[in-house]
Amino acid sequence: MTQQTQGSRLEIHGVHKNFGDFSALRDINLTIEPGELVCFLGPSGCGKTTLLRIIAGLEQQSAGQLLQGNDDISLKPPKDRDFGIVFQSYALFPNMTVTANIAYGLHSVGTPKARIRERVAELLEMIGLAEHARKYPAQLSGGQQQRVALARALAPSPGLLLLDEPLSALDAKVRHHLRSEIRSLQKQLGVTTIMVTHDQEEALAMADRVVVMNNGVIEQVGTPLEIYQQPQSAFVAEFIGAMNFIDSAPLNGQRVMVGNRAVDVVRPLPEGKGGVRLAIRPEDVHLLPSGDGDWEGRVEAMDYLGAFIRTQVRLTDVALDLVVDVDPRSARQLELAVGNRICLHLPSDALHCFAA
Amino acid sequence: MAGLRQKLSDRGPFAALLVAGCAVLSLLVLAPLYTLLSKSVENRAGEFVGLENFARYLSSGGIESAFLNSLWVAGLSTVIVVGLAFMAAWALTRTRLPLTGWVRGVLVLPILAPSLLPAISLVYLFGNQGVLKGWLFGAEIYGPIGIVMGSCFWTFPHALMILLTAMDNADGRHYEAASALKASAWRTFWTVTVPGARYGLVSAAFVVFTLVITDFGVPKVIGGQFDVLATDIYKQVIGQQRFEMGAVVSVLLLLPAMLAFFADRYVQRKQSASFTARSVPYKARADRKRDVLGALVLTPTVVFILAIIAMAVYASFVTFWPYNLDLSLNNYQFGRMDGGGWGAYFNSLQLALGTMVLGTVLVFFNAWLMERTPQPKILTGVFQFLSLLPLAVPGLVLGLSYIFFFNHPDNLLNGIYGTLLILILCTVSHFYAVSHLTAVTALKQLDKEFEAVGESLKASRWRVLFTVTLPLCLPAILDVALYLFVNAMTTVSAVVFLYGPNSQLASVAVLSMDEAGDIAPAAAMAILITVTCAGAKLIQGALRFWVDRSTRAWRQGTE
Ligand SMILES: Nc1ncnc2c1ncn2[C@@H]1O[C@H](COP(=O)(O)OP(=O)(O)OP(=O)(O)O)[C@@H](O)[C@H]1O
Ligand SMILES: [Mg+2]
């Protein structure tokens, strides 16, 4: 069976990166534990690839330090670091067979021929492409090419695996399948893995921890659940999943004013005197029969999205539209229909509070 | 800091190598050009005299005659060639004529011949004893008519290839839209076909103009008393040994060539910006009327090219024109004429092979350094400029610059003057730019992460170069090799100043034999050069076929 790789620990301290006047990364601090799968998630241009390339040594940071294990790799060229990488384009060598591609890195370090054969066979078995060993990349499907690229990166048993949007070139079905395949392979090998993606679903499904980035800074680091349930900034709240925002003014203690109505909140209010942005997920809003709740509204639109109904409700007191997800059964009980009056309840423990 | 140095030492060698590449090109192009420019503002004794030489040339009437003659002859040839080439490209890409492969082959044949060949052929066709003299209604072939006809012949393939590339990439959807909107064929032509090829047309025009204005072979043979800049340089230098005046005329020739060069670069840049659409390849539909029109458009050009070549071939075998029309090999006994005989031919072969090997290696290595290794931005900028500069420098100007630079007693390299080596260096420089562009295009097409993957797999850039990059670039390498071989074989302009007693060349021999009145042997030598180039083309074609076949599995994904 496949040997267990010792995944390495990675520490990033105060990394900055400037391209001329443009600051692509600012003060990045992050520790990744051995064997962990971490996703860098963020909108296009936020610096995910740049950070990954700095970790690989393909790009040089303007300031800051990187440690892999106890080894300061900050200024080492890529060939002196210990990692495997898979690019979005895969960059498979088109003039070499699957076998030769996978063996490429083993030849570099002078692995004996017999050992190379063994290792390649083992990897081919692992990715399930044993019968395609003698084909060229152009003769494989996208998903198969992806797996070859993965095998090639893993062949020298690196302590760190870097994946830059490895699934984005594939169609949805293959992508879903490969997600779990990569994940189980990674667990089985124990290799520390960093994956760049701008697909939040992918990140939440695969990662041990998610690093949410925006505009060159890390907004939040946490498990998928933490990121979803306790977003630490309005950006994270909005970027991950759907979110309603409600502007309010601080009143006293744990109360804020929305329009001319006081609202209690449980979560700590942001420091400072400015306004407070309340936020609540569509599935956390409760819909009640007219006359039963604290907020009055009118159903403006309903979209049937399979398992739930995305409903748009216009509040009567405040000029505000809320998006509410309702399951079909409750919708039937409430006789939900466009134009109907309805009541809403916003549970105070579901209200997030951000600085405006 | 120690770490930083370590990192630098990893990238340093590549930068150092590209600096060396820049130094080589500076030595081979920039330094000679500088010497030439400074010569043009010095008198014979080497004292600075400002623009006095230019004033002298102006007052001698050189500007009115040679400069203006050059401009209008080149302009007229450009209009004719681009027009004909556009029609031919249209017929080849927009109709369903049979045998287009063969027709393409015939139309690019002139590229294998020295530019002297059409001139000699025209003498046989329309000269004083020409077979078709009557067709000119008493006009003289010796002069502008001959120059324009000869120039059209040898520059035609250059224009055709540019236009074919431009029109092969047509987007079928535009034609579908036009026919859905019920546009007539004529309107579709003017609203879809012509605009689609406009960058190709502009580029072809600049290329042809530059080729004609800087060409020396055609006007030398058939120009008669009609002065153009290129022959004027030759006369000043070889005839009258007035080197500083040669430098002055060179500068005047450099101006329009540079202008065309920068204008073309500017247009090309615009083109790449507008080239974004995901297009559907165009497929011509069956249309008898259009096919007939295509055949009509192609016929005159094909006939003209075949006639010129056939005339030269025939003339080379005729024993004594026009008195003894028996066929013999007498004219191929070059030993009996001026110009170096068969020795010159073998020198040319050596020059062509040397240029091919040295040039291909140098071009690809430098292009690889520039494209595929980490380099400071300014260094690649400087290198790109130096590599493209030869495109703007006419061969004659380059050749003359080499005299000034390498023949200078203080130059450490003046030992190579008059040897085959200087001819090779000069020819490599002369044809550097186009080879460089081909190499860069091929290298840019490769996945930009190959080297990064290589490094992550602990493979040096060198190993990636030899195991991945070069195998993938093999077709482009073969193209560059052939391009260099053929041009080295056929060129006259740069080398005419540089050959020595032991390095006479076939193309120059054509010139000397023609000058000495041995026109038939000149034709024979020109044919020999053409046949040699055709042979090289066949070998290259066979190699490309072999490469394509043995790599088909990984190129197209079929076994
Ligand atoms: N070599 C470079 N020179 C200048 N700017 C650069 C360079 N590389 C990246 N940038 C800029 O740095 C920012 C971050 O780029 P990066 O490629 O890391 O984004 P990303 O998060 O990977 O985005 P995407 O999801 O689109 O891949 C972008 O604004 C980009 O334009
Ligand atoms: Mg990216």
Side-chain angles (χ1 to χ4, degrees):
Chain A
M1 220 13 245
T2 323
Q3 83 214 47
Q4 193 80 11
T5 330
Q6 188 51 52
S8 39
R9 178 188 161 90
L10 186 75
E11 288 177 46
I12 302 170
H13 295 297
V15 161
H16 287 256
K17 176 67 185 177
N18 303 323
F19 291 111
D21 289 341
F22 175 72
S23 151
L25 291 174
R26 282 185 304 282
D27 195 27
I28 301 292
N29 291 288
L30 183 65
T31 300
I32 299 173
E33 298 300 332
E36 216 181 0
L37 193 159
V38 167
C39 276
F40 291 174
L41 178 65
S44 187
C46 70
K48 308 179 294 284
T49 299
T50 305
L51 183 53
L52 194 79
R53 291 178 73 89
I54 286 174
I55 294 169
L58 297 168
E59 203 80 67
Q60 173 134 44
Q61 68 276 20
S62 312
Q65 197 189 22
L66 293 121
L67 297 176
Q68 187 170 357
N70 296 320
D71 195 7
D72 186 343
I73 57 165
S74 312
L75 296 161
K76 281 190 178 173
K79 67 174 173 24
D80 296 340
R81 301 187 184 194
D82 174 28
F83 70 95
I85 189 162
V86 175
F87 290 101
Q88 188 172 0
S89 64
Y90 312 146
L92 290 173
F93 302 135
N95 57 328
M96 297 180 196
T97 60
V98 168
T99 304
N101 264 288
I102 298 176
Y104 199 83
L106 299 169
H107 281 295
S108 311
V109 291
T111 315
K113 281 241 165 63
R115 177 71 196 115
I116 292 183
R117 252 200 310 279
E118 234 172 77
R119 177 77 178 137
V120 170
E122 187 178 290
L123 284 159
L124 280 170
E125 193 61 41
M126 197 168 78
I127 59 171
L129 290 180
E131 71 273 35
H132 300 290
R134 306 179 63 165
K135 286 193 178 171
Y136 290 98
Q139 298 168 319
L140 302 176
S141 72
Q144 291 169 332
Q145 291 181 18
Q146 214 285 331
R147 277 180 268 191
V148 175
L150 197 62
R152 180 177 67 179
L154 289 171
S157 309
L160 182 62
L161 178 63
L162 306 176
L163 310 168
D164 191 357
E165 311 219 9
L167 302 175
S168 64
L170 302 169
D171 60 47
K173 213 166 153 198
V174 184
R175 200 154 62 206
H176 276 265
H177 178 66
L178 271 175
R179 245 186 226 172
S180 46
E181 205 168 298
I182 292 180
R183 181 58 169 148
S184 68
L185 201 66
Q186 185 267 339
K187 273 205 173 126
Q188 180 190 338
L189 296 176
V191 55
T192 310
T193 302
I194 300 175
M195 184 171 122
V196 165
T197 177
H198 56 237
D199 178 346
Q200 47 159 307
E201 202 188 311
E202 196 168 289
L204 298 181
M206 292 175 73
D208 292 312
R209 282 193 302 154
V210 178
V211 176
V212 184
M213 297 177 65
N214 185 32
N215 272 331
V217 298
I218 293 181
E219 292 270 345
Q220 186 172 352
V221 182
T223 64
L225 209 62
E226 281 166 2
I227 297 278
Y228 189 79
Q229 294 186 336
Q230 294 152 37
Q232 273 158 26
S233 67
F235 171 81
V236 176
E238 193 173 17
F239 189 71
I240 309 281
M243 190 66 96
N244 292 297
F245 284 99
I246 306 167
D247 286 324
S248 71
L251 193 57
N252 51 43
Q254 284 294 104
R255 315 192 88 191
V256 295
M257 289 294 286
V258 177
N260 49 14
R261 186 194 291 245
V263 174
D264 286 321
V265 295
V266 176
R267 297 180 198 234
L269 288 173
E271 319 218 328
K273 288 229 166 65
V276 176
R277 279 184 93 190
L278 300 179
I280 186 161
R281 299 232 179 250
E283 68 269 24
D284 288 339
V285 180
H286 295 186
L287 289 188
L288 304 164
S290 192
D292 268 8
D294 4 313
W295 300 83
E296 282 275 334
R298 201 179 95 101
V299 178
E300 291 288 314
M302 293 170 66
D303 286 328
Y304 293 85
L305 299 179
F308 60 90
I309 301 168
R310 182 146 287 184
T311 313
Q312 195 180 325
V313 180
R314 174 154 304 161
L315 299 187
T316 322
D317 307 357
V318 243
L320 194 67
D321 281 0
L322 287 187
V323 173
V324 185
D325 288 348
V326 205
D327 62 288
R329 184 136 53 113
S330 322
R332 254 195 319 278
Q333 282 166 1
L334 292 164
E335 291 170 354
L336 213 59
V338 173
N340 282 7
R341 304 232 135 247
I342 194 90
C343 266
L344 304 92
H345 171 61
L346 311 181
S348 51
D349 58 350
L351 281 172
H352 303 271
C353 312
F354 302 110
Chain B
M1 259 347 262
L4 188 60
R5 223 171 293 133
Q6 187 184 347
K7 178 118 194 177
L8 287 177
S9 76
D10 183 48
R11 309 201 160 186
F14 295 113
L17 283 169
L18 195 58
V19 169
C22 286
V24 167
L25 283 184
S26 305
L27 185 71
L28 292 181
V29 184
L30 212 52
L33 266 188
Y34 171 78
T35 324
L36 174 102
L37 290 179
S38 58
K39 267 282 187 288
S40 72
V41 290
E42 283 172 7
N43 65 13
R44 206 167 274 215
E47 291 148 355
F48 180 80
V49 293
L51 295 178
E52 193 180 288
N53 294 330
F54 288 86
R56 211 145 39 96
Y57 186 70
L58 201 69
S59 61
S60 74
I63 287 276
E64 288 99 283
S65 56
F67 191 71
L68 291 180
N69 284 349
S70 275
L71 284 186
W72 80 257
V73 164
L76 181 61
S77 307
T78 303
V79 171
I80 296 173
V81 168
V82 173
L84 288 174
F86 180 65
M87 290 196 286
W90 174 82
L92 289 172
T93 57
R94 300 292 186 271
T95 69
R96 281 196 169 180
L97 286 171
L99 300 179
T100 43
W102 288 95
V103 173
R104 272 187 198 217
V106 169
L107 290 178
V108 299
L109 265 184
I111 225 162
L112 303 175
S115 66
L116 298 157
L117 183 138
I120 292 171
S121 218
L122 285 170
V123 169
Y124 277 106
L125 285 169
F126 302 107
N128 291 334
Q129 295 166 332
V131 283
L132 302 175
K133 190 165 190 296
W135 289 23
L136 289 183
F137 301 108
E140 274 266 335
I141 192 71
Y142 302 98
I145 299 180
I147 299 178
V148 170
M149 284 172 80
S151 302
C152 287
F153 173 86
W154 78 272
T155 57
F156 181 81
H158 297 268
L160 180 68
M161 288 190 295
I162 293 171
L163 288 170
L164 278 177
T165 315
M167 295 181 67
D168 266 339
N169 291 334
D171 190 341
R173 292 173 307 174
H174 294 159
Y175 286 89
E176 280 161 18
S179 83
L181 294 169
K182 311 249 181 303
S184 67
W186 184 241
R187 187 144 169 253
T188 308
F189 176 79
W190 284 107
T191 52
V192 180
T193 310
V194 173
R198 66 185 185 278
Y199 290 113
L201 285 167
V202 172
S203 194
F206 283 128
V207 166
V208 172
F209 183 85
T210 313
L211 286 175
V212 175
I213 204 169
T214 60
D215 174 51
F216 159 75
V218 172
K220 177 74 183 62
V221 170
I222 210 168
Q225 301 303 312
F226 188 80
D227 268 338
V228 292
L229 287 175
T231 47
D232 212 17
I233 297 180
Y234 185 72
K235 266 194 262 171
Q236 301 278 3
V237 174
I238 303 288
Q240 310 177 17
Q241 298 286 312
R242 284 160 60 181
F243 288 92
E244 71 289 349
M245 291 315 270
V248 166
V249 189
S250 294
V251 172
L252 291 178
L253 187 54
L254 204 51
L255 288 179
M258 285 270 181
L259 209 66
F261 169 76
F262 285 112
D264 186 41
R265 287 275 103 199
Y266 176 75
V267 173
Q268 297 292 323
R269 193 156 326 142
K270 286 207 131 160
Q271 175 177 27
S272 55
S274 72
F275 200 77
T276 51
R278 230 190 256 175
S279 36
V280 179
Y282 169 83
K283 277 232 168 58
R285 274 180 302 138
D287 181 342
R288 178 59 64 82
K289 244 169 50 190
R290 200 157 45 165
D291 290 353
V292 170
L293 186 61
L296 285 178
V297 174
L298 283 173
T299 309
T301 314
V302 170
V303 168
F304 176 67
I305 288 174
L306 286 178
I308 293 275
I309 294 174
M311 188 67 234
V313 173
Y314 178 59
S316 76
F317 289 115
V318 165
T319 311
F320 188 54
W321 186 275
Y323 307 107
N324 177 358
L325 296 182
D326 293 342
L327 301 185
S328 73
L329 284 174
N330 285 0
N331 297 321
Y332 285 85
Q333 291 167 5
F334 302 120
R336 298 191 302 186
M337 338 291 176
D338 277 357
W342 280 95
Y345 174 74
F346 290 112
N347 284 339
S348 267
L349 265 189
Q350 284 183 46
L351 167 66
L353 289 171
T355 303
M356 178 181 89
V357 173
L358 181 73
T360 309
V361 171
L362 198 66
V363 163
F364 258 89
F365 185 65
N366 282 334
W368 173 76
L369 284 173
M370 184 178 123
E371 279 301 319
R372 311 293 305 191
T373 62
Q375 298 289 352
K377 259 218 175 78
I378 41 173
L379 195 54
T380 55
V382 169
F383 185 76
Q384 179 76 357
F385 170 77
L386 287 172
S387 320
L388 293 184
L389 185 61
L391 208 53
V393 182
L396 276 176
V397 176
L398 191 68
L400 190 56
S401 313
Y402 269 50
I403 300 188
F404 292 143
F405 185 67
F406 287 101
N407 199 25
H408 197 278
D410 294 340
N411 191 318
L412 294 174
L413 293 171
N414 80 18
I416 68 170
Y417 192 74
T419 65
L420 203 57
L421 182 59
I422 194 171
L423 292 172
I424 292 177
L425 293 178
C426 178
T427 311
V428 167
S429 321
H430 188 179
F431 299 106
Y432 196 94
V434 172
S435 318
H436 170 77
L437 287 174
T438 310
V440 165
T441 307
L443 288 166
K444 267 196 204 301
Q445 280 168 357
L446 305 183
D447 194 304
K448 64 185 196 310
E449 310 291 9
F450 279 154
E451 280 78 10
V453 166
E455 280 192 84
S456 79
L457 296 172
K458 314 273 178 282
S460 65
R461 274 171 203 273
W462 300 101
R463 179 160 168 239
V464 176
L465 170 65
F466 286 109
T467 56
V468 181
T469 313
L470 285 182
L472 292 179
C473 287
L474 213 50
I477 291 174
L478 288 175
D479 285 352
V480 167
L482 179 73
Y483 171 83
L484 289 171
F485 182 93
V486 166
N487 277 295
M489 206 63 210
T490 56
T491 187
V492 188
S493 56
V495 293
V496 74
F497 292 131
L498 296 173
Y499 69 90
N502 296 321
S503 56
Q504 286 174 310
L505 296 173
S507 51
V508 181
V510 177
L511 199 71
S512 344
M513 291 191 279
D514 173 77
E515 225 167 22
D518 294 326
I519 307 188
M525 187 63 99
I527 289 299
L528 192 60
I529 293 171
T530 311
V531 168
T532 307
C533 292
K537 168 82 197 154
L538 286 179
I539 294 174
Q540 192 255 10
L543 282 175
R544 272 207 72 156
F545 179 76
W546 174 76
V547 168
D548 280 353
R549 214 189 44 181
S550 57
T551 62
R552 198 162 55 209
W554 54 265
R555 276 180 199 284
Q556 300 166 357
T558 49
E559 262 170 305

